[in-house]
Every structure is written in structure tokens, then in C-alpha cells.
């Protein structure tokens, strides 16, 4: 089973041959910048800081900043978790902190620029889009063949009004894609399974020392010894293990040792997995993502041109033609569910697909009204397509003899994944 299969992705949105190649050969082969309208001024309880980081995981950076500043992680806010192996530019907010404190921070490969203050905390989703510059290296085709393939896929994407808006592996864990499995256990109100999945499930690409420690814990449930076996860099796991060493049956307490943002990601990841499955089934049935059919639910464009999933309308045979005219003009968008206890489901054929996905998982919408309440989710609809504005350049790869590189520049709406767009151009997996 491929990683794509594990996270619910089983189809492509384009049929053109990919270029292959590798990503992130160098850190600066992957550059991402947040685009937002965060207002800053000279007053407010939140300090707004722009961070340029190189090869840093967002959660680890926030944890280290909280230690350096000696403040709770709950004081920090950010709009999205960025790729680790990349150069990323993003904004964070810090409650009740001053510029002088930031000026004293010296972390390797991180630069800080205080932008001002605000009375509004930066929260998940508080951005318009992300701008990317990504270089694919070690392509085995000639520059001419590479360019031809990229042009064909770009043409298909344009004709289809974008790529399938799958959630990428970052949502699930790049080395250990398990967050959705933890989320499913929480939805089933089985915190013990959630904890043990997070602590013990192993994957081949993980460091052998970590894998061996997880295998030991899975066999023995010896939390005390495991606190000594787990590598020191697994700080989240160690925090849970130290709690379980004294309270072995308090699984909810162990989960509470994780950052709030990470705890919420577990439920979101399970919803994302179900969303990916829904898109896969729709594509495999030959139902387009850029055209509504009776039973669909669409959303409409907001004031900045992005899909507004708070404005929904059901598609019927009576309004079908009008809705599709709006889709053609970029004013409406087909959606699929991120299931929750208040999420509307489609009807007719689209609804059949959505219910098949839930049935296959033995999951019902009311399951998302779970206890404790912080793990409950109302859910929402999400647009099925992400429509990038892409330019590209193809040349010889100066780092690999007789190979080609392609640099793609594109912008994606918030919540969409660069790796999903790149997947269409590279075609590395065996998904059909």
C-alpha cells in the first residue's frame, strides 16, 4: 500500500504523463510565503511577528519559542502549519510580549521581524493563500520532453479549472501518516487506542531507534522503561509517556500533554481522510469536479475571490444550468464534506458517494459529537478543486549531470497543498 492509499488518495485529476524527479533536494528548492491581510498597528495585546525559517517544523519552533520566552504555548497563534524541509515566511501572534523580547532571540536558521501589534490573535485559516516556488530536480527526461509534459498537464488543469483539492500527506504525518488513525479512535471515544496508536505505530522510514522503542512499548506497555528508550527528539511522545508512567490509565490526560493545535489536528485529519476518499470515488466514477450534477452542494465566491463554504446551495435539476454557468465564471464551486455532526450531505449520486465513504468506515455524522467536547466537530463543506496560477521554467539540472530540473511558481488558496499539485506534474505514485 502506498502513502497515497493510506491517506485516501487513489486517483489523479490529469491523464498526462508526469516528469518524475525529486523534491526538496535542497532546502531552498521549496519556498513558501503566506499571503494574508493581517492588520497591524502600534497598539494591541498581540505582537505580530513575521518569521522566516529554514528547515523548521512549525510546532517545534513554537515549542522552542515558548521555552526561550518562558511563556505558555497557548499565547501563540499562527494561520497554518508550513512544510518543514523548506524556506517558509509566515506570521505569528504572541500575546502580551514586547519587541525587545523578540530582539533577544537567537535561533539557528530563523529570522524575526516585528511588524506591529494587534487586538486580534492569528488563528488557523487566517490567510488568503500561499505563494510557492518549487524546484523539481533529477528529472530523467530531456528539457524538451519535460517541458512538453508540463505543458500538457498545465493545459489539462486549466481545462478542468484546477487540480483535485486532496489533503496532502503533511496533514497526516510525512514519516508516520497516523494523525487520521488517532482521530478515528477519538471519534470512537477510545482514547487508549488513540494514545497507543500515536506512541507505538511504526513505519519503515522512521529512525531505527524510534521504531525499536515503539515496538517495545507496543509489546510491554512499560511506560517507565519507555521514557528512557524513546529518543530525546520525540518530545511530544515523551511528555505523554511521563504522564502515563504515573497514571497508566489516564489516556485523556496523556493526550492533553500535547499542544492544543496538535490535538485538534487529529480530528481534522480523520475528516480530511474521508474527504480524500470522497474525491477519489467521484473521480473514479467519472463524475467531473468542475461541473455540478443534481444532488451536489456548491459554495460561492467571497469578496476576495475565494470559495466561501459558509454560503452553500443545493443543486437541483431546476437550478443546474444556472449553477454551472456560475462555476464556469469562477463564481461557484462544487464541494465535498469534511464530515461533522452538523455537516450537510449531498443527495442523489453525490450523496450516495458521501454515504458510501462513511459506511465503509462505520462512521456516522453524530459520532463527531464526541466527548470530551474539545474533540467534537461540526464539520463543514470544502471545495473540490484548487486552481493555481502556475508559471514554469525548465533547464538543465546543475546538481545532477544529464538530468533536468523544472521550477514552478504558483499560488494556492488557503488549505490547499503544493504537494498535491506537484503530484499531478510528477506522477510518482501508482494511484490510478
Amino acid at each position: 500500500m502506498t502513502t497515497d492509499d493510506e491517506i485516501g488518495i487513489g486517483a489523479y485529476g490529469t491523464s498526462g504523463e508526469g516528469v518524475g524527479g525529486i523534491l526538496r533536494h535542497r532546502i531552498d528548492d521549496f519556498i513558501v510565503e503566506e499571503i494574508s491581510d493581517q492588520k497591524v498597528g502600534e497598539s494591541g495585546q498581540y505582537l505580530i511577528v513575521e518569521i522566516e525559517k529554514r528547515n523548521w517544523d512549525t510546532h517545534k519552533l513554537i515549542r522552542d519559542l515558548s521555552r526561550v520566552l518562558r511563556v505558555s504555548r497557548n499565547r501563540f497563534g499562527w494561520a497554518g502549519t508550513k512544510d518543514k524541509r523548506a524556506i517558509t515566511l509566515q506570521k505569528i501572534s504572541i500575546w502580551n510580549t514586547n519587541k525587545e523580547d523578540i530582539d533577544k532571540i537567537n535561533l539557528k536558521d530563523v529570522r524575526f521581524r516585528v511588524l506591529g501589534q494587534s487586538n486580534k490573535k492569528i488563528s488557523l485559516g487566517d490567510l488568503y493563500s500561499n505563494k510557492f516556488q518549487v524546484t523539481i530536480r533529477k528529472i530523467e527526461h530531456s528539457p524538451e520532453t519535460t517541458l512538453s509534459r508540463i505543458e500538457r498537464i498545465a493545459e489539462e488543469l486549466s481545462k478542468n479549472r484546477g487540480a483535485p483539492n486532496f489533503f496532502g500527506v503533511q496533514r497526516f504525518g510525512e514519516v508516520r501518516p497516523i494523525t487520521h488513525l488517532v482521530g478515528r479512535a477519538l471519534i470512537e471515544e477510545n482514547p487508549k487506542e488513540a494514545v497507543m496508536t500515536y506512541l507505538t505505530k511504526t513505519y519503515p522510514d522512521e529512525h531505527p531507534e524510534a521504531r525499536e522503542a515503539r515496538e517495545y512499548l507496543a509489546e510491554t506497555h512499560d511506560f517507565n522503561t519507555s521514557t528512557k528508550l524513546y529518543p530525546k527528539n520525540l518530545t511530544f511522545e515523551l511528555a505523554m509517556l511521563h504522564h502515563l508512567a504515573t497514571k497508566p490509565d489516564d489516556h485523556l490526560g496523556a493526550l492533553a500533554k500535547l499542544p492544543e493545535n496538535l490535538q485538534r489536528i487529529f480530528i481534522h485529519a480523520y475528516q480530511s481522510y474521508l474527504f480524500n476518499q470522497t474525491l477519489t470515488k467521484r473521480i473514479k466514477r467519472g463524475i467531473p469536479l468542475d461541473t455540478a450534477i443534481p444532488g451536489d452542494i456548491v459554495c460561492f465566491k467571497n469578496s476576495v475571490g475565494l470559495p466561501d463554504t459558509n454560503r452553500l446551495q443545493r443543486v437541483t435539476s431546476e437550478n443546474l444550468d444556472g449553477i454551472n454557468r456560475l462555476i464556469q465564471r469562477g463564481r461557484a464551486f462544487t464541494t465535498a464534506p469534511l464530515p461533522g455532526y452538523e455537516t450537510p450531505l449531498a443527495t442523489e449520486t453525490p450523496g450516495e458517494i458521501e454515504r458510501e465513504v462513511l459506511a465503509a468506515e462505520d462512521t456516522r455524522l453524530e459520532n463527531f459529537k464526541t466527548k470530551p467536547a474539545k474533540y467534537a466537530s461540526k464539520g463543514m463543506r470544502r471545495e473540490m478543486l484548487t486552481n493555481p496560477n502556475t508559471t514554469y521554467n525548465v533547464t538543465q539540472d546543475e546538481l545532477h549531470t544529464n538530468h533536468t530540473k523544472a521550477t514552478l511558481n504558483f499560488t494556492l488558496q488557503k488549505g490547499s497543498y503544493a504537494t498535491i499539485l506537484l503530484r499531478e506534474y510528477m506522477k510518482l505514485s501508482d494511484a490510478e
Side-chain angles (χ1 to χ4, degrees), residues 22-287:
I22 59 173
L23 292 174
R24 308 178 203 270
H25 180 73
R26 300 192 312 190
I27 300 298
D28 55 5
D29 283 343
F30 204 104
I31 302 171
V32 55
E33 177 184 355
E34 278 184 356
I35 307 298
S36 71
D37 69 337
Q38 179 70 32
K39 302 294 191 299
V40 297
E42 297 181 356
S43 63
Q45 56 186 319
Y46 295 99
L47 192 70
I48 308 300
V49 183
E50 185 178 73
I51 296 179
E52 182 180 327
K53 54 189 175 69
R54 180 186 181 92
N55 201 31
W56 271 87
D57 174 78
T58 302
H59 289 288
K60 183 178 187 303
L61 176 60
I62 297 299
R63 186 194 66 212
D64 286 5
L65 285 175
S66 72
R67 289 176 178 172
V68 171
L69 294 171
R70 298 183 179 179
V71 300
S72 167
R73 283 181 296 214
N74 293 332
R75 289 196 185 190
F76 294 84
W78 61 97
T81 302
K82 297 291 176 282
D83 300 85
K84 178 188 176 185
R85 189 169 172 78
I87 296 175
T88 64
L89 194 67
Q90 68 182 119
K91 298 181 182 70
I92 66 168
S93 63
I94 314 172
W95 180 74
N96 196 24
T97 301
N98 57 55
K99 181 179 185 299
E100 289 70 30
D101 293 331
I102 302 300
D103 290 340
K104 295 174 185 175
I105 299 175
N106 183 19
L107 291 176
K108 186 177 184 296
D109 293 330
V110 184
R111 294 197 303 177
F112 303 92
R113 185 164 72 97
V114 174
L115 301 178
Q117 294 174 277
S118 173
N119 282 315
K120 182 178 181 294
K121 177 182 180 178
I122 298 176
S123 300
L124 287 175
D126 282 348
L127 69 158
Y128 290 152
S129 57
N130 290 293
K131 184 164 63 175
F132 296 88
Q133 178 179 296
V134 180
T135 299
I136 306 171
R137 292 190 181 272
K138 210 172 183 181
I139 298 171
E140 296 182 353
H141 310 291
S142 68
E144 294 75 20
T145 299
T146 300
L147 180 60
S148 175
R149 292 189 176 191
I150 288 177
E151 287 176 337
R152 177 180 170 182
I153 292 168
E155 184 179 345
E156 281 192 80
L157 291 173
S158 177
K159 180 181 177 182
N160 297 341
R161 297 188 184 86
N165 199 20
F166 289 120
F167 285 90
V169 70
Q170 302 94 314
R171 172 63 66 123
F172 306 94
E174 294 193 60
V175 177
R176 298 172 65 232
I178 61 159
T179 54
H180 61 303
L181 303 178
V182 178
R184 178 166 58 194
L186 291 173
I187 290 302
E188 294 170 349
E189 296 193 8
N190 189 341
K192 179 178 180 180
E193 182 180 344
V195 166
M196 296 308 291
T197 297
Y198 188 80
L199 290 175
T200 67
K201 189 166 180 59
T202 60
Y203 281 84
D205 291 340
E206 192 172 13
H207 192 282
E209 183 184 1
R211 194 165 60 246
E212 290 167 10
R214 296 189 196 280
E215 290 170 350
Y216 173 83
L217 179 61
E219 293 172 5
T220 66
H221 286 217
D222 182 350
F223 300 117
N224 276 296
T225 301
S226 293
T227 62
K228 303 176 182 65
L229 295 178
Y230 272 60
K232 300 302 180 189
N233 66 306
L234 299 182
T235 53
F236 294 151
E237 286 92 334
L238 286 167
M240 296 171 72
L241 287 168
H242 282 295
H243 180 84
L244 292 165
T246 56
K247 298 180 179 180
D249 296 321
D250 184 16
H251 300 101
L252 286 175
L255 286 166
K257 294 299 178 182
L258 298 173
E260 288 288 339
N261 283 50
L262 181 55
Q263 292 181 57
R264 286 195 293 271
I265 281 174
F266 294 139
I267 304 301
H268 295 167
Y270 185 50
Q271 293 168 315
S272 303
Y273 171 75
L274 297 173
F275 179 92
N276 282 355
Q277 292 252 13
T278 301
L279 258 62
T280 293
K281 280 183 174 291
R282 184 171 175 123
I283 294 169
K284 286 190 171 184
R285 288 199 188 181
I287 304 172

Side-chain angles (χ1 to χ4, degrees), residues 278-431:
T278 301
L279 258 62
T280 293
K281 280 183 174 291
R282 184 171 175 123
I283 294 169
K284 286 190 171 184
R285 288 199 188 181
I287 304 172
L289 306 184
D290 66 327
T291 304
I293 63 173
D296 265 325
I297 298 176
V298 299
C299 68
F300 298 97
K301 182 175 72 171
N302 64 15
S303 59
V304 295
L306 296 175
D308 182 355
T309 52
N310 291 315
R311 297 175 56 216
L312 300 174
Q313 183 169 344
R314 293 188 179 273
V315 180
T316 66
S317 57
E318 288 76 20
N319 65 16
L320 179 64
D321 290 342
I323 290 291
N324 277 323
R325 282 194 294 271
L326 291 175
I327 290 174
Q328 290 167 10
R329 294 198 294 247
R331 293 173 56 190
F333 311 87
T334 55
T335 69
L338 289 166
Y341 62 84
E342 288 188 0
T343 311
L345 294 182
T347 57
E348 301 189 44
T349 300
E352 290 173 8
I353 293 172
E354 295 171 10
R355 288 171 176 81
E356 282 175 13
V357 169
L358 291 170
E361 287 285 304
D362 196 21
T363 297
R364 299 183 303 278
L365 295 183
E366 53 265 32
N367 293 148
F368 288 87
K369 205 165 193 174
T370 185
K371 296 179 181 179
K374 69 177 179 180
Y375 295 127
S377 176
K378 294 180 179 180
M380 61 182 291
R381 304 286 299 189
R382 180 177 190 254
E383 65 272 20
M384 292 191 196
L385 288 170
T386 182
N387 195 359
N389 180 19
T390 307
T391 61
Y392 38 84
N393 181 48
V394 175
T395 60
Q396 292 287 343
D397 186 348
E398 74 281 8
L399 301 182
H400 301 93
T401 304
N402 298 324
H403 286 79
T404 300
K405 72 175 183 180
T407 299
L408 283 71
N409 292 274
F410 52 91
T411 300
L412 296 174
Q413 69 251 37
K414 67 179 181 180
S416 295
Y417 289 78
T419 50
I420 293 301
L421 175 65
L422 295 166
R423 175 180 177 272
E424 297 288 339
Y425 284 101
M426 298 171 75
K427 298 286 197 317
L428 292 177
S429 82
D430 59 3

